Amino acid sequence: CNDMMNQSLFLVGEIGGNDYNHPLMGGVSIRKIRSFTPSIIAKISSTITELIGLGAKTLVVPGNLPIGCIPHYLMIFKSGKKEDYEPETGCLRWMNEFAQYHNRLLMDELENLRKLHPDVAIIYADYYGAAMEIFLSPEQFGIENPLVACCGGGGPYGVSETARCGNGEYRVCDDPQLYGSWDGFHPSEAVYKAIATGLIWGSYTQPPIATTTISCLQITELSSSVEYKVLYDL
């Protein structure tokens, strides 16, 4: 499998999301959850090292998304303190700061791995930065409700404690492309498309994915030739 491994692009992650989501939902303090991060980064690192040992030459490693912009978290961690929110986006400041903490540790570890494996392209995918462009300027992406779920139970963020997408008396919006979230936890297709565009053609991969290897260039050319069509129109 050597030829297949060294000519393939490996997407390693995003790893860590549910390691944080479950304790956050369970009421574990953010201080305690921060103590998990070094172990999570170590697991990502060992996964990358194992893939390199199997012959991988090009790996994309995503960071964490701005979880302070997730509608469900905006609902359950609603605060009366203005300073808990980012004024530019309306996202929860402390949660986004935690996501950035995870990403800083991850970038430091990737730099260490690059020194150990100089013949391997280890690319950091800045999901956080690409997604924040949307929350800072949603109108540029045709999104009218960046912090609201399309499918859910209503309320200011499109989610509620009594109804979730697919459960209870939930409702679905008419045009998902106008929303930042699909179900209160996962981004909408419009957001995913904008993130992908930022990664493939923008500045949100380090080093830039389009200039790293021949295999990555082929992937870029392929993606540019595929017509985008949202799933609910198929």
Side-chain angles (χ1 to χ4, degrees), residues 37-220:
T37 305
S39 296
I40 293 167
I41 301 302
K43 175 56 70 175
I44 296 171
S45 181
S46 67
T47 301
I48 294 168
T49 300
E50 184 174 353
L51 286 168
I52 292 171
L54 292 169
K57 292 292 185 182
T58 309
L59 305 99
V60 174
V61 188
N64 210 340
L65 289 159
I67 60 174
C69 304
I70 293 175
H72 199 82
Y73 286 152
L74 286 163
M75 177 191 69
I76 63 174
F77 294 113
K78 184 178 179 181
S79 172
K81 298 178 181 178
K82 188 177 179 180
E83 61 270 22
D84 284 344
Y85 295 89
E86 297 172 346
E88 306 89 351
T89 62
C91 302
L92 285 163
R93 186 193 306 274
W94 63 272
M95 295 196 82
N96 278 354
E97 288 175 349
F98 171 68
Q100 292 178 79
Y101 166 71
H102 168 97
N103 292 341
R104 284 195 301 272
L105 265 59
L106 176 59
M107 286 188 284
D108 288 345
E109 181 59 23
L110 295 184
E111 189 56 38
N112 292 334
L113 288 170
R114 290 184 188 110
K115 292 174 183 176
L116 292 172
H117 307 281
D119 59 333
V120 177
I122 302 174
I123 304 164
Y124 174 67
D126 184 7
Y127 279 16
Y128 186 98
M132 282 305 289
E133 272 209 24
I134 302 158
F135 296 114
L136 287 166
S137 303
E139 66 283 351
Q140 293 186 16
F141 301 90
I143 295 174
E144 296 179 1
N145 306 289
L147 302 179
V148 183
C150 167
C151 180
Y157 300 111
V159 292
S160 73
E161 294 284 3
T162 56
R164 295 185 182 180
C165 188
N167 293 287
E169 296 184 4
Y170 71 98
R171 58 192 185 192
V172 181
C173 68
D174 293 329
D175 190 352
Q177 292 193 86
L178 302 179
Y179 290 75
S181 175
W182 165 241
D183 59 357
F185 274 110
H186 301 94
S188 64
E189 284 194 31
V191 169
Y192 276 127
K193 180 185 178 184
I195 291 173
T197 299
L199 297 177
I200 296 172
W201 292 288
S203 59
Y204 291 104
T205 51
Q206 303 166 17
I209 192 171
T211 59
T212 303
T213 65
I214 293 174
S215 62
C216 290
L217 284 170
Q218 291 171 341
I219 288 168
T220 304

